[in-house]
Amino acid sequence: MIIQKIHTISMIGAGNIADHLARWFQSRGYVIESVWSRNFSNAQQLADRIKANAVKYLEELSKTSDLYLVCVSDDALIDVIGKLSESGLKNKLLAHTSGSTPIDIFGKSFNNFGCVYPLQTFTKGKPLNSEDIPIFISGNNDFTIQLLGNLANDLSPKCFVISDEQRMNIHLAAVFACNFTNHLYCISQNLLTESKVSFVLMHPLIRETFQKAIENNPCEVQTGPAKRNDRSIIRKHLDLLDEKRNLKEIYQLLSESILKQDEI
Amino acid sequence: MIIQKIHTISMIGAGNIADHLARWFQSRGYVIESVWSRNFSNAQQLADRIKANAVKYLEELSKTSDLYLVCVSDDALIDVIGKLSESGLKNKLLAHTSGSTPIDIFGKSFNNFGCVYPLQTFTKGKPLNSEDIPIFISGNNDFTIQLLGNLANDLSPKCFVISDEQRMNIHLAAVFACNFTNHLYCISQNLLTESKVSFVLMHPLIRETFQKAIENNPCEVQTGPAKRNDRSIIRKHLDLLDEKRNLKEIYQLLSESILKQDEI
């Protein structure tokens, strides 16, 4: 590998993350050469949008790309990387975008590999506000780390080199702060709907909760019945949830967890 | 009761909510006459800040207030209302601010009573952005509802008359969307700290999660391993939490709940 800087990229995968990343790369002057997807029409759609070349088989990927970025679901990674190892890319630079997969999944089939992990939730059709998205990179050698680091630096002012273990913990923390939080919003909305109240009325409360959490240490601004150890309210709420066993368990577990937090 | 509109208010309780509400009332031209708290020095501090009269005993509360607003913790409500019933306020208008207490806690000791429930989390020392906070009111008769409704209308453009049952469900929904959400932020922060990563790097992600939830139906924009039913990631995350039984349980329960959500 004799490149000093990445200029051209091929995308392996054409889903939500591939779509957002490809546009992000283009906005910073990178050239997307080819796009592959298990579903060819997806590859074609993405390639059309970004004026790249859609390919049906991995062997048809451009041979001249400086980076081959694997943006497929974690479940598909092993399979896709296995097939890539037969595509003549042994000395090329490859990276995946998975939060919870070690980079040595590229194993002994490749000489230069790593990960580019942007910490964000990507919504189909919603343009990225990419200004302050942190990008975490990993690589199997100094050269790889430098190339991916330069790429990440072009995308965001917040780039960090991390270990597999750190990335996995960051992904786990993101599941709590993003995916689970959104699920609680969903539960809240369902409870309100039952009471014929619009979730829109909850917006100022959840905005304030978010604002407080970013202006402070969230652990220190906890409020609510569990924080006050207000047993009579907790009991009333559990009674209300008597016929919703799932929500009752979540209420109980999170309330106990808030109580325990103060014991630590 | 012959008043047509509330002009003067006495505050029973001098905590966080009393403090925020008293300033809110004043900003709209209401006069706070007297303030009582179980802890007299708290009453004095609040009274000093809002130029009202602090009283040591409930019997000393101004007899001329148009509204006596009880802002004490739910645990203290029964006791305080019991004592108030001996304070010569039988024909006055009283209201509490509790999300989960029926208004008939004022029972047979009073003729006119209700509830003023602002849906917000109040932070000590942090001024209220009161523009769009919804206020839910209840009253035991039309006259009470009208008086409290006029008051609420002066505070916010979003006022609603609701039943005890609706208020309790709104409070429950708020616990999920606000208190539990904040606790998840706290858990996330703790996990990041263990990996020597600052929670500040999580801000763009949680901002995007909040934005998506208010711009859409949160149930419809769910993302993450559980939503994708990505069992290999879920298993890895549970392994990571092996020595944190509490977090492991929360992870498991919320992931199952997200999975179930799609089955409904």
Side-chain angles (χ1 to χ4, degrees):
Chain A
M1 213 169 48
I2 49 163
I3 54 164
Q4 296 299 318
K5 192 179 181 314
I6 294 165
H7 295 283
T8 54
I9 301 171
S10 280
M11 308 294 293
I12 293 118
N16 209 3
I17 294 174
D19 185 292
H20 280 96
L21 285 180
R23 291 161 194 259
W24 200 359
F25 291 138
Q26 281 195 330
S27 75
R28 299 299 197 267
Y30 291 88
V31 174
I32 312 297
E33 294 192 317
S34 46
V35 178
W36 172 90
S37 167
R38 223 177 335 186
N39 180 331
F40 180 61
S41 85
N42 287 350
Q44 238 168 351
Q45 280 172 35
L46 175 55
D48 282 354
R49 283 196 292 274
I50 60 172
K51 302 199 184 354
N53 183 33
V55 302
K56 225 171 195 160
Y57 303 100
L58 286 165
E59 298 75 33
E60 298 170 344
L61 282 168
S62 162
K63 292 288 181 278
T64 62
S65 294
D66 298 328
L67 169 67
Y68 296 81
L69 193 65
V70 188
C71 310
V72 301
S73 74
D74 286 80
D75 275 347
L77 261 182
I78 288 190
D79 184 46
V80 169
I81 290 175
K83 285 181 184 149
L84 272 173
S85 69
E86 299 155 10
S87 308
L89 304 173
K90 188 177 174 66
N91 291 312
K92 288 295 195 170
L93 171 60
L94 291 93
H96 67 58
T97 56
S98 161
S100 288
T101 305
I103 58 171
D104 64 11
I105 191 175
F106 288 104
K108 295 194 172 97
S109 309
F110 300 97
N111 292 323
N112 303 289
F113 51 82
C115 172
V116 177
Y117 177 57
L119 184 61
Q120 188 52 285
T121 170
F122 298 98
T123 312
K124 208 175 169 178
K126 187 170 185 284
L128 213 58
N129 178 0
S130 59
E131 279 160 37
D132 58 356
I133 298 176
I135 300 187
F136 298 99
I137 65 151
S138 312
N140 73 318
N141 57 44
D142 289 351
F143 193 55
T144 304
I145 289 171
Q146 184 157 2
L147 282 172
L148 295 178
N150 288 342
L151 174 76
N153 264 315
D154 276 350
L155 297 182
S156 165
K158 295 181 186 166
C159 306
F160 306 88
V161 178
I162 55 167
S163 67
D164 282 338
E165 196 193 341
Q166 280 178 307
R167 191 173 62 254
M168 211 139 128
N169 278 316
I170 293 168
H171 189 199
L172 177 62
V175 168
F176 277 93
C178 162
N179 306 144
F180 290 169
T181 292
N182 184 75
H183 184 55
L184 293 181
Y185 292 152
C186 167
I187 291 172
S188 179
Q189 177 182 263
N190 290 341
L191 288 169
L192 287 178
T193 304
E194 277 183 33
S195 264
K196 302 191 197 314
V197 174
S198 163
F199 187 64
V200 169
L201 293 176
M202 197 62 84
H203 289 181
L205 176 65
I206 64 176
R207 183 184 300 119
E208 179 71 11
T209 305
F210 161 74
Q211 282 293 346
K212 266 168 65 173
I214 64 166
E215 287 164 13
N216 304 273
N217 173 335
C219 302
E220 286 170 10
V221 293
Q222 185 66 53
T223 56
K227 171 68 186 180
R228 295 191 305 274
N229 197 6
D230 190 333
R231 296 282 176 181
S232 68
I233 296 283
I234 293 175
R235 212 168 18 245
K236 279 182 199 171
H237 285 171
L238 290 174
D239 285 348
L240 271 179
L241 294 172
D242 221 18
E243 283 168 24
K244 300 183 174 74
R245 184 176 295 193
N246 178 32
L247 298 191
K248 192 172 181 173
E249 264 188 276
I250 292 173
Y251 188 102
Q252 214 147 12
L253 197 56
L254 288 174
S255 292
E256 276 163 27
S257 181
I258 291 170
L259 274 164
K260 270 183 216 148
Q261 186 195 314
D262 279 343
E263 287 167 15
I264 297 165
Chain B
M1 212 170 48
I2 49 163
I3 54 164
Q4 296 300 317
K5 193 181 181 311
I6 295 165
H7 295 283
T8 55
I9 301 170
S10 281
M11 308 294 292
I12 293 120
N16 208 4
I17 293 173
D19 184 292
H20 280 97
L21 286 179
R23 291 162 195 258
W24 200 0
F25 291 138
Q26 280 194 330
S27 75
R28 299 298 197 269
Y30 291 87
V31 174
I32 312 296
E33 293 192 319
S34 46
V35 179
W36 172 90
S37 166
R38 223 176 337 185
N39 180 331
F40 180 59
S41 86
N42 287 350
Q44 240 168 349
Q45 279 173 35
L46 175 56
D48 283 354
R49 283 197 292 274
I50 59 172
K51 301 201 181 358
N53 183 34
V55 303
K56 224 172 195 158
Y57 303 100
L58 286 165
E59 298 75 33
E60 297 170 343
L61 283 168
S62 162
K63 292 287 183 278
T64 62
S65 295
D66 298 329
L67 170 67
Y68 296 80
L69 192 65
V70 188
C71 308
V72 301
S73 74
D74 285 79
D75 276 347
L77 261 182
I78 288 189
D79 184 46
V80 168
I81 290 175
K83 284 181 184 146
L84 272 173
S85 69
E86 298 156 11
S87 308
L89 304 173
K90 188 177 173 65
N91 291 312
K92 288 294 194 172
L93 171 60
L94 292 93
H96 66 60
T97 57
S98 163
S100 288
T101 306
I103 58 171
D104 64 10
I105 192 175
F106 288 104
K108 295 195 173 93
S109 308
F110 300 96
N111 292 324
N112 303 289
F113 51 81
C115 172
V116 177
Y117 177 57
L119 184 60
Q120 189 50 287
T121 170
F122 298 97
T123 313
K124 209 175 168 176
K126 185 169 187 284
L128 213 58
N129 178 1
S130 58
E131 277 159 40
D132 59 356
I133 299 176
I135 301 186
F136 298 97
I137 64 149
S138 311
N140 73 318
N141 57 45
D142 289 351
F143 194 54
T144 304
I145 289 172
Q146 184 157 2
L147 281 171
L148 295 177
N150 288 342
L151 173 76
N153 264 315
D154 276 351
L155 298 182
S156 165
K158 295 181 186 166
C159 305
F160 306 88
V161 178
I162 54 168
S163 67
D164 282 339
E165 197 193 341
Q166 280 178 307
R167 192 172 61 253
M168 211 138 129
N169 279 318
I170 294 167
H171 189 200
L172 177 62
V175 168
F176 277 92
C178 163
N179 306 144
F180 290 169
T181 292
N182 184 74
H183 184 56
L184 293 181
Y185 292 152
C186 167
I187 290 172
S188 180
Q189 176 181 263
N190 290 341
L191 288 168
L192 287 178
T193 304
E194 277 183 33
S195 264
K196 303 193 195 315
V197 174
S198 162
F199 187 65
V200 168
L201 293 176
M202 196 62 83
H203 290 181
L205 176 64
I206 63 176
R207 181 184 301 117
E208 179 70 11
T209 305
F210 161 74
Q211 283 292 347
K212 264 167 66 174
I214 65 168
E215 287 165 12
N216 303 274
N217 172 334
C219 303
E220 285 170 11
V221 292
Q222 185 67 50
T223 58
K227 172 67 187 180
R228 296 191 304 273
N229 196 9
D230 190 333
R231 295 282 176 181
S232 68
I233 297 282
I234 293 175
R235 214 169 17 246
K236 281 182 196 169
H237 286 171
L238 290 174
D239 285 348
L240 271 179
L241 295 172
D242 221 18
E243 282 169 26
K244 298 183 174 77
R245 185 175 296 194
N246 178 31
L247 297 192
K248 193 172 180 173
E249 264 188 276
I250 292 173
Y251 188 102
Q252 214 147 14
L253 197 56
L254 288 174
S255 292
E256 276 164 26
S257 180
I258 291 170
L259 274 165
K260 269 183 217 148
Q261 186 195 314
D262 278 343
E263 287 166 16
I264 297 164

